[in-house]
Amino acid sequence: MLEIVVMLTSAFEKNPLHSLAVIELLREERRKSLSLREFKHRLMGYGYKIRQTARGAVVESVSSQKEICKLPHELMQ
């Protein structure tokens, strides 16, 4: 599982360890959320947002609007 996450994140972020930490945060917050809307709201509290692209959903920083990593598909359900 870790290998898959590293492959997904390394293509989008120069620091894969930062991306892994963000993905773990995303997984934790998604488990706490009752809906996708609540999940997105919780992410905004951490300074992240989800943006839809041609490649799929990505997580980006609200302040710099820079892409951090690709959002794992299972977190959008």
Side-chain angles (χ1 to χ4, degrees), residues 8-54:
L8 286 174
T9 58
S10 63
F12 298 104
E13 173 64 44
K14 294 180 194 248
N15 185 350
L17 292 178
H18 180 250
S19 295
L20 287 174
V22 170
I23 288 175
E24 280 306 309
L25 173 72
L26 296 173
R27 289 184 198 285
E28 182 180 327
E29 290 303 316
R30 186 61 179 118
R31 277 192 295 271
K32 295 177 187 176
S33 303
L34 299 176
S35 67
L36 186 58
R37 181 179 177 173
E38 180 185 359
F39 174 56
K40 290 179 179 182
H41 180 74
R42 293 176 76 94
L43 292 183
M44 291 293 282
Y46 290 101
Y48 300 119
K49 67 179 180 177
I50 297 172
R51 185 172 54 89
Q52 293 294 329
T53 67

